[in-house]
Amino acid sequence: MTGQEITDYLFSLQDIKYRDFQSNLIPVEKEAQDESDNLKAPATLKKAQSSQKRESSLSSRGRTSESGKSPAESRKHTVSGAGQKPRPNQNQEKAKLIGVRTPLLRALAKKLVREAEQNEPAQKELETFLSQLPHQYFEEKQLHAFIISLEKDFEKASRRVEAFLPYVDNWATCDQLIPLAFKTNHEALLPLIKKWLSSKHTYTVRFAIGMLLQHFLDKDFSVEYLEMVAAIRSDQYYINMMTAWYFATALAKQYEAPLPFMEQQQLAPWTHNKTIQKSVESYRIPAEHKEKLISLRLKLR
């Protein structure tokens, strides 16, 4: 199927009521579009955009080290942006949504991958669809994520992830990008995660934290990974929420290791309290651990 045939087929599966429901849940952030536009801009335009962004950062969004912070704190990775959960503009979001239920998207992804494995023309069409970035519709982004997730070859999967991440502009696509190839290639995956954690793009950072949550909290766990995530300082809701989920899951699986991070207040205050909230809500954390965590709550203004 060509890209246009895929889009037409998605519209044939449209559920208007589901689209309207989704428009309340999936805010698409402008930041990702700005990032993807910059990837395609000529060198001179990129330079101008970079200059404008620096000026904007200094005037309205920049974060500087506050007096009294240690050098280590000042070096912590910072991503600036909105501090509250983005609220979808329903009319804008409807224009970007077709309204196709997730099981149908997953089924289509499997069909396209299967056909690509069986004949060369279908393979070329699939590669063309994956290269047509940015996608216009949310469902095209979801389909793209599901196709990558089915890839079992690590090199191919990692190349596709790297190409796609700058265009991911919502939490759902980010969280449902789960490549099968990453499950058995942790050693090769880790350097990529470290690189993604240093990104200035919200959903690249969120994806990196999600990969640590999925793949590095069991036998391949290390306190180093807790330190990497704790070092992130961001005003982006979707980064901070994933950080809280990561530490809450770590407290469920490796309680003794993340506990000092909570006792020493190494997370940002909002993220610290959200981690405790998620831990208290978890069925995997025993009551005595919850009591300890509750005692560590911060009083915020």
Side-chain angles (χ1 to χ4, degrees), residues 66-124:
E66 297 175 6
S67 60
K69 286 190 175 182
S70 68
E73 287 176 312
S74 297
R75 286 196 299 270
K76 286 183 177 181
H77 171 50
T78 301
V79 181
S80 61
Q84 297 181 342
K85 182 176 181 179
R87 295 181 179 179
N89 180 311
Q90 204 170 32
N91 291 331
Q92 291 180 358
E93 302 313 319
K94 284 182 183 179
K96 301 168 187 173
L97 290 163
I98 298 173
V100 182
R101 294 181 179 272
T102 298
L104 296 177
L105 292 172
R106 291 188 185 277
L108 178 57
K110 291 179 180 179
K111 176 179 182 293
L112 293 173
V113 169
R114 184 169 58 251
E115 290 175 350
E117 292 172 345
Q118 294 172 351
N119 66 83
E120 187 174 344
Q123 174 65 35
K124 290 182 178 179

Side-chain angles (χ1 to χ4, degrees), residues 86-196:
R87 295 181 179 179
N89 180 311
Q90 204 170 32
N91 291 331
Q92 291 180 358
E93 302 313 319
K94 284 182 183 179
K96 301 168 187 173
L97 290 163
I98 298 173
V100 182
R101 294 181 179 272
T102 298
L104 296 177
L105 292 172
R106 291 188 185 277
L108 178 57
K110 291 179 180 179
K111 176 179 182 293
L112 293 173
V113 169
R114 184 169 58 251
E115 290 175 350
E117 292 172 345
Q118 294 172 351
N119 66 83
E120 187 174 344
Q123 174 65 35
K124 290 182 178 179
E125 289 178 343
L126 182 62
E127 292 295 340
T128 298
F129 169 74
L130 295 177
S131 68
Q132 292 173 339
L133 295 167
H135 297 301
Q136 181 177 358
Y137 296 105
F138 168 73
E139 284 79 5
E140 293 172 330
K141 300 167 192 174
Q142 290 289 89
L143 180 63
H144 193 135
F146 294 147
I147 289 170
I148 294 176
S149 296
L150 292 170
E151 180 55 59
K152 297 177 182 178
D153 179 79
F154 180 83
E155 294 300 326
K156 186 180 290 187
S158 60
R159 284 199 307 271
R160 287 177 172 177
V161 167
E162 292 258 63
F164 184 47
L165 276 178
Y167 300 92
V168 174
D169 58 5
N170 67 88
W171 64 265
T173 301
C174 179
D175 293 0
Q176 292 180 312
L177 178 59
I178 311 173
L180 289 173
F182 288 3
K183 289 184 177 180
T184 54
N185 291 276
H186 289 181
E187 186 175 352
L189 175 60
L190 191 57
L192 293 175
I193 290 176
K194 291 180 178 179
K195 181 178 73 172
W196 295 330

Side-chain angles (χ1 to χ4, degrees), residues 25-45:
L25 299 178
I26 312 294
V28 176
E29 295 185 9
K30 187 176 184 295
E31 173 198 327
Q33 184 61 53
D34 289 344
E35 177 93 2
S36 62
D37 288 345
N38 193 47
L39 289 176
K40 293 185 175 183
T44 53
L45 180 56

